[in-house]
């Protein structure tokens, strides 16, 4: 008996170390393989999408759909909880496995995860609900979108702060959503950002849309879908001006009553859950028209939809 105990005491640590060694090699290999395949769902790529008219070498003016990366952040910046982060990544990766999968719709949507069904069952037992909280896909999606909004707002924070102290700023409304394109060359979670006015109007314009690279064509179908979702979640009927007010001497109870009052919230359509898109306002410096050359026609050839203005050359 003592001999068996001695053998186990010697063999088990050795076996544990060997198992740990090969497990570490396998884990490292899996990470390398994932990176080499450009499967980077631990990153969130933020890009602004816009239409731009360009003149080609043949003198013809064509309408291009362009996009540029404005920043890239680890997913943990948006979703701090490791468990919630892994669940959100499964939302994205499992999109093709969903019964209602639509290859033209890469926008991440909340869905029940099969590997979370056991948690749902245990959470329904009162004595266990404290240890196994209910998995709420809608709440997770809403929090992810709200935290994404905060990341974007942080980048624009100084300009927005400046706009409160100066009139030399313009405020524009933007719309964003989170996508995962399983057929893209580089697979990562992306935050698609577009000016609200362009999202409302540009996809109804007839004619061909051109791209800077041939593999950019997938972005057109993505942004067209974003335009469709936008019209569903922010219908024209909900854009009527809504006036929320309280008297100057309002109490906390008055504010709570206003929050709980019936009526439209002004956000995404409530009937469709938390929604998949969010809106935010961003501030941009404006310039003195007397000191710059003003492209008054938004359809002029030049910078993206002629949104940028450039100083005039000094007169001789």
């Amino acid at each position: 008996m003592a001999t068996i105990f001695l053998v186990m005491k010697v063999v088990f640590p050795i076996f544990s170390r060997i198992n740990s060694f090969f497990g570490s090699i396998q884990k490292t290999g899996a990470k390398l393989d994932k990176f080499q395949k450009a499967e980077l769902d631990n990153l969130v790529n933020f890009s602004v999408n816009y239409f731009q008219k360009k003149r080609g070498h043949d003198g013809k003016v064509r309408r291009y759909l362009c996009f540029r990366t404005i920043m890239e952040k680890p997913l943990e910046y948006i979703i701090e909880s490791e468990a919630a982060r892994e669940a959100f990544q499964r939302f994205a990766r499992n999109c093709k496995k969903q019964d209602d999968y639509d290859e033209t719709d890469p926008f991440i949507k909340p869905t029940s995860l099969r590997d979370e069904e056991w948690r749902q069952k245990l959470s329904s037992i009162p004595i266990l609900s404290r240890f196994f909280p209910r998995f709420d896909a809608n709440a997770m999606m809403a929090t992810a979108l709200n935290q994404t909004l905060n990341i974007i707002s942080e980048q624009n924070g100084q300009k927005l702060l400046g706009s409160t102290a100066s009139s030399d700023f313009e405020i524009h409304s933007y719309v964003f959503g989170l996508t995962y394109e399983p057929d893209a060359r580089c697979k990562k979670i992306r935050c698609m950002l577009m000016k609200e006015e362009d999202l409302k109007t540009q996809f109804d314009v007839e004619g061909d849309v051109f791209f800077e690279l041939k593999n950019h064509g997938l972005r057109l179908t993505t942004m067209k879908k974003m335009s469709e979702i936008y019209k569903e979640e922010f219908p024209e009927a909900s854009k009527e001006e809504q006036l929320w007010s309280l008297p100057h001497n309002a109490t906390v109870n008055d504010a709570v009553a206003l929050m709980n009052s019936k009526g439209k919230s002004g956000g995404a359509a409530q009937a469709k859950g938390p929604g998949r898109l969010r809106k935010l306002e961003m501030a941009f410096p404006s310039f003195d028209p007397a000191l710059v050359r003003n492209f008054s026609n938004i359809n002029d050839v030049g910078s993206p939809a002629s949104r940028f203005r450039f100083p005039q050359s000094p007169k001789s």
Side-chain angles (χ1 to χ4, degrees):
M1 189 70 180
T3 304
I4 296 175
F5 179 76
L6 182 61
V7 170
M8 291 176 61
K9 188 176 180 180
V10 174
V11 172
F12 275 15
I14 296 175
F15 177 79
S16 178
R17 290 185 180 182
I18 292 175
N19 185 58
S20 177
F21 173 73
F22 283 103
S24 176
I25 292 177
Q26 184 182 18
K27 191 173 182 180
T28 300
K31 288 182 178 179
L32 285 172
D33 184 59
K34 190 174 181 180
F35 183 81
Q36 290 168 169
K37 291 180 178 178
E39 295 177 356
L40 308 173
D41 57 4
N42 60 324
L43 294 175
V44 181
N45 178 277
F46 294 76
S47 64
V48 61
N49 301 265
Y50 56 90
F51 285 94
Q52 177 179 2
K53 288 192 173 183
K54 295 183 179 182
R55 190 183 303 278
H57 294 298
D58 56 3
K60 294 182 179 180
V61 176
R62 299 178 176 89
R63 190 169 69 113
Y64 281 76
L65 173 60
C66 306
F67 54 93
R68 298 288 184 270
T69 294
I70 56 177
M71 61 179 169
E72 195 160 81
K73 298 286 186 182
L75 182 59
E76 62 183 331
Y77 271 51
I78 297 173
I79 305 176
E80 184 180 3
S81 165
E82 183 177 357
R85 190 164 59 247
E86 290 177 354
F88 190 80
Q89 288 171 319
R90 294 200 298 276
F91 279 169
R93 291 194 296 262
N94 292 347
C95 61
K96 273 195 170 183
K97 300 177 183 178
Q98 297 171 12
D99 295 334
D100 58 346
Y101 172 67
D102 179 359
E103 62 181 6
T104 66
D105 184 1
F107 285 86
I108 300 172
K109 56 184 175 181
T111 180
S112 59
L113 298 174
R114 292 180 180 177
D115 52 356
E116 291 289 345
E117 290 180 357
W118 65 271
R119 186 188 298 273
Q120 300 287 67
K121 293 177 180 178
L122 291 176
S123 67
S124 63
I125 303 174
I127 196 172
L128 298 177
S129 60
R130 180 180 177 183
F131 304 98
F132 300 95
R134 190 173 67 88
F135 179 79
D136 190 335
N138 286 338
M140 181 175 293
M141 187 69 197
T143 302
L145 286 170
N146 291 337
Q147 287 301 104
T148 303
L149 187 149
N150 290 336
I151 295 293
I152 301 172
S153 297
E154 180 186 5
Q155 299 299 311
N156 193 246
Q158 292 295 325
K159 298 184 182 69
L160 193 59
L161 181 63
S163 70
T164 66
S166 171
S167 60
D168 296 332
F169 284 84
E170 298 176 359
I171 306 295
H172 295 280
S173 179
Y174 281 75
V175 180
F176 73 88
L178 297 173
T179 72
Y180 185 81
E181 298 165 305
D183 298 320
R185 182 173 56 87
C186 184
K187 299 174 181 63
K188 61 177 70 171
I189 295 172
R190 302 177 188 275
C191 177
M192 302 292 180
L193 191 68
M194 192 173 220
K195 195 173 180 181
E196 183 178 18
E197 189 61 30
D198 291 349
L199 198 61
K200 288 194 295 185
T201 61
Q202 289 296 320
F203 294 98
D204 295 327
V205 177
E206 295 182 356
D208 292 342
V209 177
F210 291 81
F211 312 99
E212 295 171 311
L213 295 173
K214 64 180 182 180
N215 61 317
H216 287 183
L218 188 62
R219 185 59 60 96
L220 176 61
T221 59
T222 297
M223 300 312 296
K224 284 178 67 176
K225 189 62 184 182
M226 184 175 179
S227 178
E228 294 174 9
I229 298 173
Y230 168 79
K231 291 174 182 177
E232 292 175 3
E233 295 189 359
F234 300 93
E236 291 295 332
S238 69
K239 295 180 183 178
E240 299 172 359
E241 185 178 12
Q242 300 176 40
L243 301 176
W244 307 108
S245 66
L246 286 171
H248 72 281
N249 58 348
T251 65
V252 172
N253 289 337
D254 294 330
V256 172
L258 178 64
M259 286 190 294
N260 294 332
S261 62
K262 294 182 179 180
K264 297 170 184 174
S265 65
Q270 296 302 304
K272 298 184 180 297
R276 292 188 285 167
L277 303 181
R278 288 290 187 273
K279 294 200 297 185
L280 77 160
E281 290 185 339
M282 301 178 71
F284 302 91
S286 57
F287 301 94
D288 184 350
L291 300 178
V292 298
R293 183 170 73 251
N294 181 13
F295 292 93
S296 59
N297 185 354
I298 197 170
N299 292 321
D300 284 345
V301 179
S303 56
S306 300
R307 294 190 185 104
F308 299 115
R309 300 169 178 176
F310 303 91
Q312 286 183 325
S313 301
K315 295 181 180 180
S316 55

